[in-house]
Amino acid sequence: MTLRPTAIVLVSAALLLSSGCSILPESEPATLYRLPSADVQPVTTSDSIATRQRLAVAAPQAGHLLSSNRIVVYPEGNIVNVYEGARWQENAPDLIQSRLITGLQQSRLFASVGSDSLPSELLLLSELRHFQSDYATHPPTVKIQLDVQLVSTQNRAPIATQSFTTSAQSISTDIPDVVDAFGAASDELTEQLVNWLANQQEATID
């Protein structure tokens, strides 16, 4: 009996699968990166009554690409791309949420700071508008924009809103150096947010 070409292909594929072989090329595993961080100094408020409030920080809303763990890059003009072979260890909004929670805990502005799954009097909502490496400069500059809204958890009434934009230039085009720039820009973002929240507390007391 003579096998037709289609049958030969099917038999060959079955033999490859049964032997544990693959005819597909294996992709290199991506390197996972944490977001580098520096300690945030405690902030002294004018009245200790403000520190009795509890703050919850929700993960920022973000567009499709920024909601992933891909490291976004603007290589030139209006082109949007991602670094190959590199990923964040978590999706970008989760990275930002963790960074803000840690920084606000270190600032000691509130009685407690945690995620929005915990009980609190205040809630910080936000939208991540930019979180990318931009080759408008060489080496590239990391740019972050976060629009935030502080609300009461009792009635979701807005208390204050603000938009924060930070940047940090990498020392080279190497991905680890770019990741360090992401960390520096995130540190600046956290510091700006802490100072803004401290001002909101003082305005409430006054």
Side-chain angles (χ1 to χ4, degrees):
M1 179 180 65
T2 303
L3 292 176
R4 290 178 296 174
T6 303
I8 294 175
V9 171
L10 292 174
V11 171
S12 299
L15 290 174
L16 285 171
L17 291 174
S18 64
S19 62
C21 299
S22 174
I23 59 175
L24 299 176
E26 294 185 3
S27 59
E28 292 292 329
T31 301
L32 299 181
Y33 288 94
R34 297 182 298 173
L35 188 61
S37 64
D39 291 339
V40 174
Q41 296 301 314
V43 174
T44 302
T45 57
S46 58
D47 195 321
S48 61
I49 190 172
T51 62
R52 292 207 294 264
Q53 293 178 307
R54 298 169 297 177
L55 176 69
V57 180
Q61 300 294 313
H64 173 71
L65 193 56
L66 290 183
S67 293
S68 71
N69 69 339
R70 306 299 295 269
I71 304 178
V72 180
V73 55
Y74 291 1
E76 59 178 332
N78 294 320
I79 299 174
V80 180
N81 212 329
V82 294
Y83 286 106
E84 290 299 325
R87 302 283 191 279
W88 295 118
Q89 66 172 359
E90 298 178 281
N91 291 343
D94 296 326
L95 288 178
I96 293 296
Q97 180 191 32
S98 296
R99 167 57 52 83
L100 297 182
I101 289 175
T102 299
L104 287 165
Q105 287 173 340
Q106 293 173 348
S107 73
R108 300 177 188 173
L109 273 175
F110 301 92
S112 67
V113 180
S115 71
D116 53 339
S117 63
L118 299 175
S120 66
E121 289 74 46
L122 299 172
L123 174 64
L124 189 71
L125 303 173
S126 62
E127 180 180 4
L128 186 60
R129 301 287 300 279
H130 291 283
F131 192 67
Q132 79 274 346
S133 168
D134 194 331
Y135 274 79
T137 61
H138 192 84
T141 295
V142 167
K143 296 181 179 180
I144 303 176
Q145 180 182 343
L146 187 72
D147 299 342
V148 305
Q149 184 177 64
L150 183 67
V151 303
S152 168
T153 55
Q154 291 183 348
N155 52 17
R156 289 293 177 124
I159 298 172
T161 61
Q162 185 62 277
S163 180
F164 299 98
T165 302
T166 63
S167 62
Q169 188 170 10
S170 174
I171 63 174
S172 79
T173 59
D174 295 339
I175 293 179
D177 290 332
V178 173
V179 168
D180 286 341
F182 271 100
S186 299
D187 287 339
E188 175 64 23
L189 173 70
T190 305
E191 183 176 348
Q192 288 184 15
L193 178 65
V194 166
N195 291 332
W196 177 73
L197 287 172
N199 290 335
Q200 299 309 310
Q201 285 186 338
E202 292 181 359
T204 302
I205 294 168
D206 295 337

